[in-house]
Amino acid sequence: MAPAELTGRSFKQIRTGLDQREFSVSELLGAYLHNIDQRESVVHVFLHIDRAGAEAAAKHLDQRLTLGEARPPLLGAVVAVKDNIAVRGLPMTAASRILEGYLPPYDATVVSRLRAAGALIIGKTNLDEFAMGSSTEHSSFGPTTNPHDPRRVPGGSSGGSAAAVAAGFCNLALGSDTGGSIRQPAAFCGVVGMRPTYGAVSRYGLIALASSMDVIGPLARSVADARTLLSVIGGYDRADSTSVPHFSWHRTASSVDLTKLRIGIPTEYGEGITDAEVKKIFNKSRALLERAGITVVEVGLPTTRYAVPAYYVITPAEASSNLARYDGIRFGPPGDHDFGHGRAYARLRGQRFGPEPKRRILLGTFTLSAGYAERYYHTAQRVRTLLRQDFMAAFAKADVLLTPATPTTAFLLGSIQDPVSMYRQDAFMVAVSLAGLPAVTVPGPAAGLPVGLQFIGQHKHDNHLLDVVQRCRVIFGGGE
Ligand code: GLN
């Protein structure tokens, strides 16, 4: 079978093929590796490819298939994992020089759940350093490019994972989303990306950026595949103190009555679209939903205009504290410590952190310092409360909300130099994060570069959200 015939399929289709013995897991893996050999030098998805480990795992899974053993839900899933999630024995750097050479001695909870469900891990994907960024250009090991156009960014910070799915290097991928890092690259690369409810997926083994917002979530070719991946990685974990107990994942897609569904469109987001193509596709999507009999209502999220400033106060504050553990001594290559501890920290951190982590450490330390914390950090926390109240009011009028995913389509590499303009890329992403809500981005009905649409669900209503998005994606003509 030609590689493209396999690598263009969704995981669900692959699973059917495996069950019917159309091909083996090793053949499937071979097809992905073929694509990687052809295009990785241009796309630069991986910081580490575990060819030998994946091949051995594929052989083992093929044996299980021949023996007719029980078939766990992710058998045959070839998964790429963002390089801020620990996979035992594979190097993990979070795209930072300060972690070079670090080998995690344990698996993140999501990774052990993947393995138990029959998935194999093909490699670790590129990201903005410590997941700080919206383009993957802040990686210390060079940027990833957009599989739809190598002159453009794939989005970020999970740009490697989104590009891996879009380029046919794997069938599923894991990303992390603090302020949009799964949803925005999924939108730029034309794949499905989900940020689950905060606490729904264990963060044990994830390198922290802003702990009050970080979540791990799926990137996939279809909504159905994202749901399958989530059903495996989600659920309570005692190793994560913010993990939500009693979260039920295993509901199958229920039939959503489209005639009773109310989709809310936040007025303020319409005003933030700067790109004619994004506007066109968003309006077209809205019209398609209305034509399918769905009620579309306007809702207000007045505090949303303060979401980006609040996010960029809270995230650096939490990051400055989380990044304190990278002192250049406990992790990373040995340095010259001859000059006393305090100075060693300063020198090694100065040499090994890239510009964006440094900026955030400085900003965060400043906004938390005595005299300024009330003015910045506490004000931002109050904005967070107001945002939650806005969403609650909106959900009294609508079951899910629909917004564009990004103000523009994927921008050209190097075209955004100023940090504040980069932060504004997250305009439609960060309010959801501050409120801890689930959201899914799917490709809209666009012919050229992908244009993503974002569906936002109510707290802990992840399954209902996926049901709705699955139906809506069919209405947009994009399959399930
Ligand atoms: N672009 C956002 C930031 O730089 C999002 C990052 C993320 O979600 N990890 O903080």
Side-chain angles (χ1 to χ4, degrees):
M1 200 176 295
E5 264 181 69
L6 288 179
T7 58
R9 298 186 191 193
S10 69
F11 174 64
K12 194 173 172 189
Q13 293 164 332
I14 282 166
R15 191 49 200 266
T16 312
L18 281 171
D19 286 344
Q20 294 173 351
R21 304 276 174 93
E22 259 187 76
F23 48 84
S24 66
V25 181
S26 300
E27 274 173 82
L28 175 67
L29 175 65
Y32 291 122
L33 289 171
H34 170 85
N35 279 1
I36 292 170
D37 290 339
Q38 299 280 306
R39 290 186 69 197
E40 171 64 359
S41 60
V42 176
V43 190
H44 187 226
V45 156
F46 290 106
L47 294 180
H48 181 82
I49 302 178
D50 185 24
R51 209 174 267 263
E55 279 169 351
K59 264 205 198 108
H60 177 72
L61 292 168
D62 279 330
Q63 274 164 5
R64 279 172 69 174
L65 276 170
T66 4
L67 291 174
E69 284 180 21
R71 299 180 176 195
L74 288 187
L75 195 140
V78 175
V79 186
V81 176
K82 186 176 181 179
D83 197 32
N84 58 354
I85 299 172
V87 177
R88 190 179 52 232
L90 299 190
M92 169 161 81
T93 60
S96 181
R97 299 258 171 222
I98 207 157
L99 271 173
E100 252 184 317
Y102 174 62
L103 283 178
Y106 69 104
D107 277 334
T109 298
V110 289
V111 171
S112 36
R113 289 183 182 178
L114 283 183
R115 293 195 206 273
L120 63 83
I121 287 151
I122 190 161
K124 304 296 297 290
T125 60
N126 200 11
L127 64 156
D128 290 293
E129 187 173 356
F130 285 108
M132 297 174 178
S134 313
S135 66
T136 317
E137 293 170 291
H138 291 314
S139 166
S140 306
F141 305 105
T144 297
T145 63
N146 192 311
H148 294 271
D149 177 351
R151 296 168 307 154
R152 293 177 189 275
V153 303
S157 64
S158 314
S161 288
V165 174
F169 291 179
C170 60
N171 44 45
L172 299 169
L174 288 184
S176 67
D177 189 309
T178 307
S181 278
I182 293 175
R183 294 164 285 153
Q184 186 255 17
F188 276 9
C189 291
V191 301
V192 175
M194 179 181 194
R195 170 192 171 85
T197 292
Y198 176 75
V201 178
S202 168
R203 292 184 290 117
Y204 180 70
L206 169 71
I207 292 180
L209 168 56
S211 311
S212 73
M213 284 175 278
D214 295 342
V215 285
I216 295 176
L219 291 126
R221 299 181 89 94
S222 73
V223 182
D225 285 1
R227 182 200 296 273
T228 306
L229 180 50
L230 183 62
S231 71
V232 167
I233 60 170
Y236 180 68
D237 176 18
R238 59 193 296 268
D240 174 357
S241 62
T242 55
S243 167
V244 181
H246 314 304
F247 210 99
S248 143
W249 289 114
H250 299 282
R251 242 186 60 202
T252 48
S254 66
S255 53
V256 175
D257 183 352
L258 294 184
T259 58
K260 292 206 182 109
L261 186 68
R262 296 161 310 160
I263 292 188
I265 296 198
T267 326
E268 294 79 3
Y269 282 49
E271 292 154 12
I273 311 175
T274 48
D275 184 280
E277 178 68 3
V278 173
K279 194 167 256 170
K280 192 179 99 192
I281 300 302
F282 186 69
N283 290 337
K284 183 173 169 190
S285 312
R286 176 185 179 152
L288 285 170
L289 295 176
E290 283 175 323
R291 211 177 306 152
I294 297 173
T295 309
V296 176
V297 294
E298 300 265 340
V299 296
L301 293 176
T303 318
T304 204
R305 50 201 275 243
Y306 303 113
V308 169
Y311 173 87
Y312 279 98
V313 169
I314 293 171
T315 300
E318 293 190 27
S320 70
S321 159
N322 277 325
L323 266 53
R325 74 195 65 170
Y326 306 109
D327 52 14
I329 292 169
R330 274 177 286 187
F331 301 95
D336 169 13
H337 307 151
D338 266 1
F339 33 83
H341 262 50
R343 280 177 45 220
Y345 296 156
R347 187 153 120 190
L348 293 170
R349 281 163 71 86
Q351 285 166 351
R352 293 175 185 174
F353 275 131
E356 189 58 28
K358 278 183 191 156
R359 181 158 29 244
R360 296 201 192 190
I361 290 168
L362 287 174
L363 246 177
T365 313
F366 170 72
T367 57
L368 287 178
S369 59
Y372 292 101
E374 178 54 31
R375 199 149 140 204
Y376 297 106
Y377 182 72
H378 293 129
T379 306
Q381 293 291 19
R382 282 194 279 273
V383 169
R384 196 168 185 176
T385 305
L386 292 175
L387 275 169
R388 279 203 200 104
Q389 289 169 356
D390 276 10
F391 276 113
M392 264 164 16
F395 283 126
K397 293 192 195 147
D399 305 298
V400 298
L401 308 181
L402 173 66
T403 78
T406 51
T408 66
T409 51
F411 48 87
L412 292 167
L413 283 153
S415 63
I416 301 186
Q417 293 293 339
D418 149 51
V420 175
S421 307
M422 192 65 96
Y423 299 165
R424 288 217 187 92
Q425 287 298 316
D426 305 329
F428 305 146
M429 297 280 121
V430 294
V432 170
S433 299
L434 288 162
L437 301 175
V440 179
T441 52
V442 291
L449 276 176
V451 174
L453 302 169
Q454 172 175 237
F455 288 86
I456 306 169
Q458 300 180 47
H459 193 239
K460 290 194 185 179
H461 287 212
D462 302 48
N463 269 315
H464 176 254
L465 173 66
L466 285 164
D467 292 342
V468 171
V469 179
Q470 204 163 333
R471 295 295 297 275
C472 291
R473 185 145 191 236
V474 175
I475 295 169
F476 299 146
E480 38 166 33

